[in-house]
Amino acid sequence: MRRTTITLLATLTIATALSVIPAQAHGRGTAMGTGMGTGTGLGMENCSATACHFDVTPGTYDVRVRLGGDTAASTGITGETRRTLLAETTTGAGEPVTRTFTVNVRTPEGEPTGAEGTPGLDLVVGGSAPALADIRVTPAAARHTRQIFLVGDSTVCDQPGDPYSGWGQQLPQYLRKGVSVANYGDSGESTVTYLADPRLFGTVQPLIRKGDLVLVQLAHNDKQTDEATYRANLETLVAGVRDKGGRPVLVTPIVRRWFNSDGTLNNGTALLVNGLGVDHPAVTRSVAAAQDVPLIDLTARTKALVESLGVEGSKALYLYNEKRDNTHTSAYGATAYAQLVRDELLAQHLVPERLLR
């Protein structure tokens, strides 16, 4: 597989003006924009050579882009804290295409305990030969928009800087207009801390609407959490999502790249067995079965992929070459793992096929 990166180039022609109407917050009925009251005028837009900024309030927005031009092009879109919103898309000379996606705008824009980021919606246009012909941003209609909330740790979150990337940061590129990702993954969090910190589940839970998916992957930092506590915490998260009418989905943790001499990952370090002997994936599977909750067995899926690539080939999935890190993923690895999640969302009918790329 080829590593997917968005390269910023210096030349980009914006063929039309950009327009934006006042923002409607997800699950709320108010519409406001910076510097204007409810129901007043349109917000103004600004584009530079490689980026667009929309002065909108937190909420959920539909984005329509027209890509291509007189010459062959290859264009990708990232946004907010390095989220891949549209994978690099090739267009032939004189054959422009239209693509749409839905994006979540919030404060903080990345990790919930991190920096606030830039207010509004920021989109970056890149690719090997970018050509953006048109773009339009409008508030997403709440009744037509599905939201996928992510509850997780550093392997899931919107990582603020290279070379790190969480799989949740790469998931939006596999979704079409009508479903957005609200990634509330946060570095260093365990099931204990995620429930205790009001910036985390205390913030996520009130935002959940009926039918919203909430994917929960927490294990990497539960190094000293006993089994009874870990199980109870997962059950608390499941109950909290259901209390709001949401649909919880338990996700077993991605493997650590820790090989045995026989080329397998059949060991506690790779498979997330903690210092107390708690087998996190096994407990997660057990809770999912007992609570009748959908399970994405990302441990099994990532194990199979890492073992198939082998000791050398799997290095690119993680930050081994850059950091000697066998836990955190590169953009390439996060993209591959996000695709595994996408495949499970489709296979288990958690998201309609028409909303997936």
Side-chain angles (χ1 to χ4, degrees), residues 118-138:
T118 305
L121 172 60
D122 289 284
L123 301 176
V124 177
V125 182
S128 58
L132 176 66
D134 189 23
I135 185 169
R136 181 173 176 82
V137 176
T138 56

Side-chain angles (χ1 to χ4, degrees), residues 93-147:
E95 299 177 346
V97 299
T98 298
R99 295 288 184 268
T100 57
F101 54 87
T102 301
V103 61
N104 172 257
V105 177
R106 63 181 185 274
T107 303
E109 69 178 33
E111 295 180 89
T113 66
E116 288 196 359
T118 305
L121 172 60
D122 289 284
L123 301 176
V124 177
V125 182
S128 58
L132 176 66
D134 189 23
I135 185 169
R136 181 173 176 82
V137 176
T138 56
R143 66 183 181 278
H144 296 310
T145 303
R146 297 167 181 256
Q147 191 96 301

Side-chain angles (χ1 to χ4, degrees), residues 155 167 216-220 230 249-255 272 280-286 288 295-302:
T155 66
W167 62 256
V216 178
Q217 186 217 279
L218 288 167
H220 279 271
Y230 184 67
V249 179
L250 292 180
V251 183
T252 60
I254 68 169
V255 294
L272 281 293
H280 293 105
V283 175
T284 304
R285 296 178 190 115
S286 175
L295 174 78
I296 294 178
D297 198 339
L298 202 53
T299 305
R301 296 294 302 270
T302 56

Side-chain angles (χ1 to χ4, degrees), residues 68-86:
D70 294 336
T71 60
S74 186
T75 312
I77 308 287
T78 59
E80 297 296 86
T81 304
R82 304 175 59 242
R83 302 177 211 161
T84 302
L85 301 170
L86 185 67

